[in-house]
Amino acid sequence: MLFTSYNFIAFLSAVIILYWLIPRKARWVLLLVADMVFYYFSKTTALPVNLIYLVSTIVSTYIFTNLITRNANKEKAYLKANKESLDKETKKKYKEQQKAVRRRLLIGSIVVNIGMLAVVKYTNFTISNINSIMGVLGSAHRLTFVDIAVPMGISYYIFQTVGYSIDCYRGKTEAQKNIFKLALFASFFPQLVQGPISRYDDLAPALFESKEFDFKYISYGLQRILWGFFKKLVIADRLLTAVTTIIKDTETYNGLFVVLGMLFYAIELYCDFTGGIDITIGAAEALGIPLKENFIRPYFSKTLKEFWNRWHITMGTWFTDYIFYPLSVSKFMLNLNRSSRKHLGDKIGKRVPVYTATIIVWFATGIWHGASWNFIVWGLGNCLVLLISQELEPFYRFFHSKTKVNGTRIWDAVRIIRTMLIVSSLRLFDCYRDVPLTFKMFGSIFTDKAVINKETLMGLGLEPTDYIVVLIGVIIVFVVSLIGRSGSVRDKISTIPYWGKFAIWFGLFLIVLIFGQYGIGYAASQFIYNQF
């Protein structure tokens, strides 16, 4: 059930109406039923396989987290009851023993869920690499690929439940005793398509304790959904044709067409992903449920580090909080730190564990995006640029002190363009999905002399009116982003007279209705991040 389908619009409308009509205590039950209905009709795999993965994640997470919380409560009760009789050393030993029990339970939860994700997404990738190695070694034997369909949103709900399990282990939250409420947290339908990846403490209160009705929730939610439709249907799906044409015909479309493809893909991906997130946040907002923002004007970033603090924010913070930080303070990293400092000196040695943790995180980020080497190289490419930038910080400070350009509008614009070029160049690995071909096409920018003119532009599958619509659409998105820097655009629109508000939102509705890429025989494009 695509977000941009008529079925979803009808489904969401029914859920919103029923949600605000029924008693507050029953609303979370309605949402859980809606989740299962939505997931049932997604049909990305044969049913009931589609639901088996989700249910397995919910049940295993429920069992392990409740055992973790029960053990933590048992430890507290025991220490409190025996506070006077236990000496300091005995208390310490008992705490360590109980923590070890909880750690094993956490590992069990992670192994079950991440293991399930790994089997579903990475089995054939592993088989492919084994076969390649066997071929290099001269063996004629080959392993057979396995037919495993990837259920919709599996990466998102598993990451969300794994984060919840870790929070239970850390004592940040107590395990949910009602398995159906945990199921609602794991399967909240607006998030299943492409995130954001929510934390239990942020999302659970709004899911289980609904608010009093306020028409503003519905109004703001529908406005956000309409804005998402505009970005997705008017801009992203229109540009998809040109991007696909450039990527598929590498013999014709090389040189400057690679640069054009980078530009088009940057616009398409932004409008596709943020458009989907707008629909997600808007759908939840119409139910009075706030979700974390996943993008904060990423294309205004002056550095790659800043870009990743603004793009797919919930994914970045998940990897930071649940992989980078625990890895950085792990016993292995502490030993590596001591060893590297001893053999390489403090200046170089202190960097080794930090760089190791960073490389692991970006490797994981790459392979999370897809089970192929192009995504791994893309992740490690981002890592390399970030580490080089970190090492060049003293040079940047020296340069800025001498030139006095830092902070000027011209220099800020240069840095924004530079960041966009880096981001877009690395995204070529996503476009061409083949590492050698990506390097070849990037090199063609400097060697091939393909000509971009009116005739070749028309060969990309777009009409002149399509280019005009995209240009106007991009200008609108850019202007809205600029206005949004000083506060909520919807709040600002709400302060103008009624006729002005009506003109803006009805005008946007007409634009989507008239210029949206849909109609009889049109198959709405899947959101790009559905695949992850």
Side-chain angles (χ1 to χ4, degrees):
M1 191 188 297
L2 286 174
F3 276 180
T4 52
S5 68
Y6 299 122
N7 289 337
F8 178 75
I9 295 172
F11 167 77
L12 180 61
S13 300
V15 171
I16 292 171
I17 292 169
L18 288 173
Y19 183 84
W20 291 113
L21 286 178
I22 65 175
R24 291 174 65 181
K25 289 183 178 180
R27 287 174 183 169
W28 74 268
V29 179
L30 172 67
L31 289 181
L32 181 58
V33 172
D35 293 345
M36 295 302 110
V37 170
F38 178 83
Y39 206 66
Y40 177 88
F41 284 105
S42 68
K43 292 186 178 179
T44 53
T45 62
L47 293 168
V49 175
N50 201 28
L51 287 170
I52 287 175
Y53 293 109
L54 178 60
V55 172
S56 298
T57 295
I58 292 165
V59 171
S60 61
T61 301
Y62 176 80
I63 292 171
F64 281 112
T65 53
N66 272 274
L67 288 174
I68 288 171
T69 293
R70 186 181 302 174
N71 177 271
N73 292 336
K74 173 188 169 185
E75 177 189 319
K76 291 176 184 176
Y78 177 80
L79 292 174
K80 184 178 180 180
N82 298 275
K83 182 170 58 175
E84 303 299 332
S85 60
L86 296 176
D87 59 53
K88 186 177 180 180
E89 190 61 33
T90 305
K91 286 181 181 179
K92 182 180 178 182
K93 185 176 180 181
Y94 178 77
K95 287 181 179 179
E96 290 175 350
Q97 289 172 343
Q98 298 309 307
K99 188 175 181 179
V101 171
R102 294 193 293 275
R103 187 183 300 114
R104 287 194 292 271
L105 290 169
L106 174 64
I107 291 172
S109 179
I110 292 173
V111 167
V112 169
N113 288 291
I114 297 297
M116 183 164 53
L117 178 64
V119 169
V120 169
K121 288 188 69 173
Y122 307 112
T123 296
N124 286 330
F125 176 62
T126 304
I127 290 173
S128 175
N129 283 285
I130 291 173
N131 286 342
S132 296
I133 293 171
M134 293 170 71
V136 170
L137 295 176
S139 172
H141 181 70
R142 294 292 183 273
L143 299 177
T144 304
F145 289 104
V146 183
D147 184 16
I148 303 178
V150 181
M152 181 186 70
I154 187 171
S155 295
Y156 294 104
Y157 65 72
I158 283 184
F159 269 38
Q160 193 155 293
T161 51
V162 166
Y164 160 74
S165 300
I166 295 172
D167 286 343
C168 288
Y169 169 77
R170 291 173 176 174
K172 183 181 177 182
T173 186
E174 283 209 357
Q176 173 56 248
K177 292 182 173 60
N178 187 326
I179 191 171
F180 297 106
K181 287 188 174 181
L182 178 61
L184 173 57
F185 165 73
S187 63
F188 185 44
F189 73 88
Q191 296 186 138
L192 277 175
V193 175
Q194 53 185 358
I197 304 171
S198 294
R199 307 294 174 92
Y200 183 82
D201 287 350
D202 293 331
L203 182 58
L207 287 176
F208 309 143
E209 302 169 10
S210 62
K211 300 174 182 178
E212 290 287 350
F213 175 77
D214 187 335
F215 186 73
K216 182 179 178 181
Y217 296 137
I218 296 178
S219 175
Y220 269 38
L222 295 181
Q223 290 168 14
R224 187 75 181 257
I225 291 171
L226 183 60
W227 181 237
F229 280 169
F230 169 73
K231 288 195 282 188
K232 169 66 175 171
L233 294 175
V234 176
I235 303 175
D237 283 358
R238 181 169 264 101
L239 273 180
L240 174 64
T241 302
V243 172
T244 303
T245 302
I246 292 172
I247 291 170
K248 285 188 175 180
D249 189 354
T250 56
E251 293 299 321
T252 302
Y253 300 108
N254 48 43
L256 287 179
F257 277 102
V258 177
V259 179
L260 184 65
M262 287 164 55
L263 173 63
F264 282 178
Y265 186 63
I267 298 169
E268 182 209 345
L269 181 61
Y270 174 79
C271 290
D272 184 285
F273 197 6
T274 63
I277 293 296
D278 286 330
I279 297 170
T280 292
I281 293 176
E285 195 170 13
L287 300 167
I289 299 169
L291 294 179
K292 291 283 188 181
E293 292 291 342
N294 219 21
F295 296 89
I296 303 176
R297 295 173 292 281
Y299 287 168
F300 288 96
S301 303
K302 301 179 186 68
T303 66
L304 187 61
K305 181 180 180 180
E306 183 186 353
F307 174 83
W308 281 109
N309 288 332
R310 292 168 171 256
W311 178 278
H312 208 343
I313 298 167
T314 57
M315 182 202 70
T317 55
W318 194 97
F319 277 105
T320 300
D321 293 344
Y322 297 120
I323 297 182
F324 181 79
Y325 287 145
L327 192 60
S328 298
V329 297
S330 66
K331 186 178 292 185
F332 170 78
M333 284 299 175
L334 293 176
N335 291 334
L336 179 62
N337 184 41
R338 284 192 290 268
S339 177
S340 57
R341 283 173 180 263
K342 179 180 177 181
H343 293 94
L344 301 174
D346 282 348
K347 188 174 181 179
I348 297 176
K350 68 181 181 182
R351 288 171 165 78
V352 173
V354 177
Y355 284 9
T356 302
T358 304
I359 291 169
I360 291 172
V361 166
W362 277 102
F363 176 87
T365 303
I367 204 166
W368 177 85
H369 277 80
S372 57
W373 281 106
N374 63 290
F375 285 115
I376 294 173
V377 174
W378 167 83
L380 295 177
N382 277 277
C383 178
L384 179 63
V385 174
L386 288 168
L387 293 180
I388 290 174
S389 298
Q390 186 174 314
E391 288 301 316
L392 291 177
E393 278 296 330
F395 169 77
Y396 295 150
R397 287 194 294 270
F398 174 78
F399 175 78
H400 293 151
S401 68
K402 295 297 182 182
T403 60
K404 308 297 183 184
V405 296
N406 197 31
T408 63
R409 289 188 177 183
I410 294 177
W411 184 241
D412 285 348
V414 169
R415 296 176 72 194
I416 289 170
I417 294 170
R418 177 196 63 186
T419 301
M420 278 299 302
L421 287 173
I422 293 172
V423 169
S424 297
S425 297
L426 289 168
R427 279 184 182 152
L428 289 176
F429 290 106
D430 183 15
C431 292
Y432 293 105
R433 302 294 173 99
D434 179 89
V435 175
L437 178 61
T438 300
F439 281 113
K440 176 184 175 182
M441 298 312 296
F442 182 77
S444 75
I445 296 173
F446 310 99
T447 57
D448 294 336
K449 298 180 180 179
V451 177
I452 297 177
N453 52 35
K454 183 179 179 180
E455 183 180 347
T456 53
L457 283 175
M458 293 304 103
L460 298 179
L462 300 181
E463 299 295 329
T465 52
D466 291 316
Y467 287 107
I468 294 171
V469 169
V470 168
L471 178 61
I472 295 173
V474 170
I475 292 172
I476 292 172
V477 171
F478 178 73
V479 170
V480 170
S481 295
L482 285 178
I483 296 172
R485 295 170 74 178
S486 59
S488 169
V489 176
R490 288 177 298 174
D491 284 345
K492 292 176 181 178
I493 292 176
S494 68
T495 62
I496 65 179
Y498 178 80
W499 63 267
K501 287 184 286 190
F502 178 81
I504 290 172
W505 294 116
F506 187 68
L508 186 63
F509 172 75
L510 287 179
I511 290 172
V512 173
L513 194 64
I514 296 169
F515 297 105
Q517 288 284 86
Y518 60 89
I520 298 173
Y522 175 77
S525 172
Q526 285 275 3
F527 286 91
I528 294 173
Y529 264 67
N530 280 21
Q531 62 187 298
F532 306 136

